[in-house]
Amino acid sequence: MDIRYIIELLFRRRRLILKVFLAILLPITVGTFFIAPTYESTAKIMLKKPASINFLNSAIGVTSNESSSFSTTDRADYLALLTLRPTAEQVVDKLALRKLRIRQRVARSMPFLKPLLKALGVDVNAEGKRLTAEQLLNSGIMTKIFPSPNVKMSQVEDTDLFKISAKAQDPETAANIANTMAAALVDQEIRRVYDTYRYAGKFIDEKIDNVRDATLANLKKIRDFQEKDDALALDTQISNIMTDLNTYKKTFEANNVNIAKTKVLIAKLERQLRNVPSFAKDGSSMGNSDMLSYYKQKLATLYQTLAESRTKYTEKHPIVIDYENQINMVKGLLQREYEKVFDSKSYNMDDLYMTARKSLITYYLELDGIYAQNKVYPEIIKKYEQKLASIPEKQLISSVLSQESTATNTVYSNLLTYKYRVGLVESIEISNFNIVEPAIVHDKASHKSPSLLINMIIALFLGTILSFISIIIMEILDNTVKGIRDIKGLKDVALLGVVKKLTDDSFGLRAKTHVRSFKTISNSLAMFHRDKPIKTILVTSAHDGEGKSFLSSNLAISLASEGKKVLMINTDTKENSLSTIFGLSNTPGLPEFLAGAETVITSVKPTSVSGLFLIPAGINDGGGIRNLTSDRFVSLVDNMEKDYDFIIIDTPSLLSSDEAILIGSRTGKNLVVVVENERTHIDVLAGIFSNLKASGILHSGIVLNKVEAIRFGSEYYDTLRYFPKAEMKD
């Protein structure tokens, strides 16, 4: 497919191209003017952990192992949080967002219609329905066709920056939606962080009232006891026993607090790892290991033995040191067993996961140690209390009251400290979201849609694509002859020449306009029959109106202009086109001569062209085929060949009558078939020549008529030549 053919194809289908372009361009262009414009405004928020978070965690006694940066999963989670319905509802309620009614859209798109609508009683300012959260978060194609306020959140690639893009029918509303959504997200994040610390405050609030009451009760008991029994100071032995007993009780109570704190930390880490499927499996098997149970029991036994040894020996005694070493060894074995449960080789996790996993194991070990101590401490405390049984009752009571008071005072003091620190954290607004760029009001064309320029470009692009697709489809479906390429596709058929389509609708002689075309046709006939020159040519066509009479007359004029003596015979009695072209009377004509009513001399009429004569079609007498195949007609043709250089016989079309085939068969003369471009189907044309070949009728070839020509620097007809005879099969 060369460039010449492509240009010819585009030129031939120019009307289709224009229709497709207009079908695309006009609706888009008109629609651009009728769609209410929308304005866009964008706010930007940064996902960043505040620097004070670690200090506050430390202030309430929580050690955080979290990284200061966010993982890909964290960013995806926060992006999902941005599109939650409650946040959108908060924005809708605060700004009282409503959908535009059709009358409002029409009034905004075409302000000049407002007076007319008001005159018709239409309230153009009537408010529409309340916008829903789902509609605000919807930014699909329908929001472009029927504009309504909407918001869309997205992440700037490879950063912790998020964009909140809002669209509305006026720039102020768009900026307000973006800024309100950003503020709502920050507020929501503050509440989420606050809820994290609220759990610790809830635990303290549940314990502190009971501990305070116990502390006050113990102080009252000591006061009453001293006033009533005049208690004396305890001796050293009782003091030491009570000191140890007090130490174990305080440790026991402190362990209860540490157990609660450690459980909070473990729960927090487990929430972070909950999205890892393999962790859920490992976590569920933590308490099902036989080795873990064995080491926990071993640890409890060692703590009990260590406590008993401390009642007999000092801290630096070898036996005490040996038991402490055994405890550390069992803790190490317990840690390795936990690591086996997690089996780190089965994961391909990032450093954040590995750090969290390591911290979780540490907390598990710490919790197991505390549980082991608290398992044996009640029994140890009981033994100390038994030792005091032999002490005088007054001293015992005093020591017990003092020990209980000291323990409850210590716990109460610690709880008050933690309550104050948690209250401090709750009073500070902490958020991982920070507004780094608030939305501003934009009224420039770059922030306005739809854009006429962009829509025009889109329309041109779509029009071009659809035009090419339409051309391809039409070329596939259109089976008519569309130029010399289709003629070349016919087997054993020569192209004698091409006649350009007239620029007007008039019909008549065009010798000056087409002189070169008909010279090409006459030369092609001469070259085609150079071995055996012909004098008689039968001109026909597939359908009526394809231009056979026009070709006959102009070919005859072309030959006559070369000094040849030419006779034209019109055998198509249904038409008298040749008589009309040359301005001659249609009678007497061929039927009158064949009927014997006229002689040859009276039937042959000279024309205004020198050397050109015509036998008109005459009046149809009903014996057309019989007369045209008679010996008198054959004799006429043979005799005329002696007096004229060329005889051109204009015959009826092939699909309307058999006369052309019968004349060709009877006279043995060659047919020239006139084919109108973009009218006759290739299959029909191929069938015609197949029938001619099967009937043994000679033909010279085809003349392609009414071709829309394009100039390529020189005449179009320079490229249209006959087929050499060597290409034909005799």
Side-chain angles (χ1 to χ4, degrees):
M1 184 181 293
D2 54 25
I3 188 65
R4 189 187 301 271
Y5 175 72
I6 294 175
I7 296 177
E8 176 193 349
L9 180 62
L10 295 176
F11 181 78
R12 186 172 69 248
R13 299 294 184 185
R14 63 188 182 276
R15 294 182 181 86
L16 176 62
I17 294 174
L18 181 61
K19 291 177 181 179
V20 173
F21 259 102
L22 292 178
I24 298 297
L25 185 62
L26 289 179
I28 292 179
T29 303
V30 174
T32 302
F33 286 104
F34 279 88
I35 294 177
T38 59
Y39 296 85
E40 184 178 10
S41 190
T42 302
K44 295 180 181 178
I45 58 177
M46 174 71 76
L47 185 61
K48 183 179 180 182
K49 292 185 178 180
S52 59
I53 191 68
N54 290 331
F55 168 75
L56 294 172
N57 284 336
S58 177
I60 63 172
V62 176
T63 302
S64 176
N65 294 301
E66 297 181 359
S67 172
S68 59
S69 60
F70 293 93
S71 64
T72 303
T73 303
D74 292 334
R75 297 189 187 98
D77 291 341
Y78 275 107
L79 186 59
L81 287 174
L82 297 179
T83 58
L84 292 179
R85 180 176 50 80
T87 308
E89 287 179 346
Q90 185 177 345
V91 175
V92 172
D93 293 338
K94 186 172 183 179
L95 298 179
L97 297 177
R98 294 184 176 274
K99 295 178 64 176
L100 284 180
R101 304 181 71 172
I102 295 177
R103 63 185 71 175
Q104 290 175 306
R105 291 175 182 163
V106 173
R108 291 194 179 190
S109 301
M110 296 172 286
F112 57 88
L113 292 179
K114 281 186 178 181
L116 177 60
L117 293 174
K118 289 182 179 180
L120 295 175
V122 178
D123 185 5
V124 296
N125 297 318
E127 293 185 343
K129 294 182 179 180
R130 178 183 179 275
L131 199 69
T132 64
E134 290 77 8
Q135 291 169 338
L136 180 64
L137 295 173
N138 179 24
S139 57
I141 187 65
M142 295 304 296
T143 61
K144 301 183 184 298
I145 301 176
F146 303 103
S148 63
N150 65 88
V151 64
K152 179 180 180 182
M153 275 69 71
S154 61
Q155 178 190 357
V156 179
E157 189 175 3
D158 298 329
T159 68
D160 291 330
L161 195 65
F162 294 87
K163 295 193 298 183
I164 303 174
S165 301
K167 291 184 178 180
Q169 280 66 50
D170 59 86
E172 293 82 4
T173 303
N176 289 336
I177 292 175
N179 288 329
T180 305
M181 177 64 80
L185 291 171
V186 172
D187 181 63
Q188 187 182 65
E189 180 63 8
I190 290 173
R191 292 198 303 270
R192 191 188 69 82
V193 175
Y194 167 79
D195 290 341
T196 303
Y197 295 100
R198 186 167 55 86
Y199 293 114
K202 183 179 180 182
F203 170 77
I204 294 173
D205 290 338
E206 291 175 353
K207 299 294 183 181
I208 195 168
D209 290 338
N210 294 332
V211 175
R212 182 181 66 247
D213 294 341
T215 300
L216 294 175
N218 288 332
L219 292 174
K220 185 175 183 301
K221 287 179 181 179
I222 292 174
R223 185 193 64 188
D224 294 342
F225 173 72
Q226 291 176 346
E227 292 177 353
K228 179 180 179 181
D229 298 322
D230 192 17
L232 301 174
L234 299 175
D235 58 15
T236 303
Q237 182 182 3
I238 296 176
S239 178
N240 291 337
I241 294 175
M242 293 305 299
T243 299
D244 293 339
L245 184 59
N246 182 48
T247 300
Y248 280 113
K249 285 191 174 183
K250 286 194 294 184
T251 304
F252 182 79
E253 293 294 332
N255 283 348
N256 287 331
V257 176
N258 290 334
I259 287 172
K261 290 169 54 180
T262 306
K263 284 184 176 180
V264 171
L265 294 174
I266 289 174
K268 184 176 182 181
L269 287 174
E270 286 179 344
R271 284 197 299 272
Q272 294 179 3
L273 299 174
R274 190 168 297 158
N275 293 328
V276 180
S278 296
F279 170 77
K281 172 179 71 62
D282 292 338
S284 64
S285 64
M286 294 294 284
N288 299 327
S289 171
D290 293 335
M291 292 304 297
L292 285 175
S293 300
Y294 170 77
Y295 288 135
K296 291 178 183 179
Q297 183 63 36
K298 182 69 174 177
L299 192 63
T301 303
L302 288 173
Y303 271 116
Q304 183 175 3
T305 306
L306 177 63
E308 292 174 352
S309 299
R310 283 174 174 168
T311 61
K312 303 176 183 178
Y313 310 105
T314 63
E315 290 290 329
K316 296 183 179 181
H317 195 278
I319 294 178
V320 175
I321 295 175
D322 180 63
Y323 283 125
E324 289 177 345
N325 291 336
Q326 290 185 47
I327 289 173
N328 292 332
M329 182 181 68
V330 173
K331 284 184 176 180
L333 295 173
L334 192 61
Q335 180 176 356
R336 285 196 292 271
E337 191 63 21
Y338 274 120
E339 291 175 348
K340 288 180 182 179
V341 174
F342 278 95
D343 190 14
S344 59
K345 293 182 179 180
S346 64
Y347 305 112
N348 185 16
M349 300 298 173
D350 56 16
D351 292 337
L352 293 177
Y353 168 76
M354 298 303 293
T355 301
R357 187 183 71 91
K358 182 177 179 181
S359 300
L360 187 59
I361 292 174
T362 301
Y363 289 138
Y364 278 139
L365 290 172
E366 183 179 348
L367 187 61
D368 289 340
I370 297 173
Y371 273 133
Q373 292 177 14
N374 275 18
K375 185 176 182 181
V376 300
Y377 277 3
E379 186 177 351
I380 295 173
I381 292 172
K382 184 177 180 180
K383 288 182 179 180
Y384 273 100
E385 290 174 346
Q386 290 175 352
K387 289 182 180 181
L388 294 175
S390 60
I391 300 174
E393 184 178 359
K394 183 180 295 187
Q395 292 179 333
L396 178 59
I397 295 174
S398 177
S399 298
V400 170
L401 291 176
S402 177
Q403 182 268 336
E404 291 180 353
S405 178
T406 302
T408 54
N409 280 337
T410 302
V411 174
Y412 184 60
S413 176
N414 290 337
L415 290 176
L416 284 177
T417 302
Y418 288 141
K419 182 176 178 63
Y420 169 76
R421 291 174 178 176
V422 170
L424 176 64
V425 173
E426 293 177 349
S427 65
I428 300 175
E429 293 185 349
I430 302 174
S431 172
N432 291 327
F433 279 136
N434 298 285
I435 300 177
V436 295
E437 183 180 299
I440 61 175
V441 177
H442 294 287
D443 55 2
K444 296 182 179 179
S446 58
H447 296 272
K448 178 183 177 182
S449 62
S451 170
L452 180 61
L453 177 60
I454 294 177
N455 286 357
M456 290 286 287
I457 294 174
I458 293 174
L460 292 175
F461 175 77
L462 292 177
T464 301
I465 298 298
L466 293 178
S467 295
F468 277 104
I469 293 175
S470 301
I471 290 174
I472 294 172
I473 294 175
M474 288 299 297
E475 285 296 301
I476 294 174
L477 298 179
D478 188 1
N479 193 34
T480 60
V481 175
K482 298 181 287 296
I484 61 176
R485 290 177 180 270
D486 293 336
I487 301 300
K488 288 182 178 181
L490 296 174
K491 186 178 180 181
D492 298 337
V493 178
L495 177 64
L496 302 175
V498 177
V499 180
K500 187 172 66 173
K501 187 176 183 179
L502 299 179
T503 57
D504 56 36
D505 296 330
S506 62
F507 183 79
L509 297 180
R510 298 294 172 185
K512 292 184 180 180
T513 304
H514 297 285
V515 62
R516 188 165 185 171
S517 303
F518 296 106
K519 285 183 180 293
T520 298
I521 296 171
S522 62
N523 291 337
S524 297
L525 287 169
M527 290 294 295
F528 187 76
H529 300 284
R530 59 182 179 273
D531 296 336
K532 186 179 179 181
I534 60 173
K535 299 187 69 175
T536 302
I537 303 170
L538 303 180
V539 180
T540 186
S541 62
H543 303 278
D544 293 334
E546 291 194 71
K548 58 182 179 61
S549 299
F550 174 76
L551 173 70
S552 300
S553 59
N554 282 279
L555 180 60
I557 293 172
S558 176
L559 294 172
S561 66
E562 297 177 358
K564 307 294 184 180
K565 189 176 181 182
V566 182
L567 173 65
M568 298 181 62
I569 302 176
N570 189 359
T571 64
D572 190 357
T573 57
K574 294 182 295 182
E575 297 182 0
N576 58 353
S577 301
L578 293 179
S579 301
T580 303
I581 291 174
F582 292 101
L584 300 176
S585 172
N586 194 41
T587 57
L590 181 62
E592 288 80 3
F593 168 76
L594 296 177
E598 297 290 337
T599 64
V600 174
I601 297 176
T602 57
S603 298
V604 175
K605 301 179 183 297
T607 67
S608 58
V609 180
S610 176
L612 178 59
F613 300 87
L614 170 67
I615 296 180
I619 299 175
N620 187 3
D621 60 355
I625 294 178
R626 183 179 67 255
N627 293 335
L628 294 176
T629 57
S630 64
D631 293 337
R632 185 174 176 84
F633 178 75
V634 175
S635 176
L636 171 66
V637 174
D638 293 339
N639 292 331
M640 291 296 108
E641 285 186 345
K642 300 175 183 177
D643 298 330
Y644 294 90
D645 296 317
F646 287 98
I647 299 175
I648 298 176
I649 302 176
D650 187 356
T651 65
S653 61
L654 293 170
L655 297 181
S656 64
S657 173
D658 294 332
E659 293 180 5
I661 295 177
L662 294 174
I663 293 173
S665 176
R666 186 74 174 82
T667 62
K669 306 303 179 182
N670 288 64
L671 266 74
V672 172
V673 180
V674 179
V675 176
E676 181 180 345
N677 195 47
E678 298 185 44
R679 179 181 177 184
T680 305
H681 286 266
I682 298 175
D683 295 339
V684 173
L685 198 59
I688 289 174
F689 281 96
S690 177
N691 292 335
L692 293 178
K693 183 178 180 179
S695 303
I697 299 174
L698 301 176
H699 63 83
S700 298
I702 290 175
V703 174
L704 193 59
N705 191 27
K706 300 182 182 179
V707 176
E708 293 183 306
I710 308 174
R711 293 179 181 270
F712 296 99
S714 60
E715 284 288 332
Y716 175 78
Y717 300 106
D718 287 347
T719 64
L720 305 176
R721 298 301 186 192
Y722 57 86
F723 290 135
K725 192 173 183 180
E727 298 181 8
M728 299 297 297
K729 293 182 180 180
D730 296 333

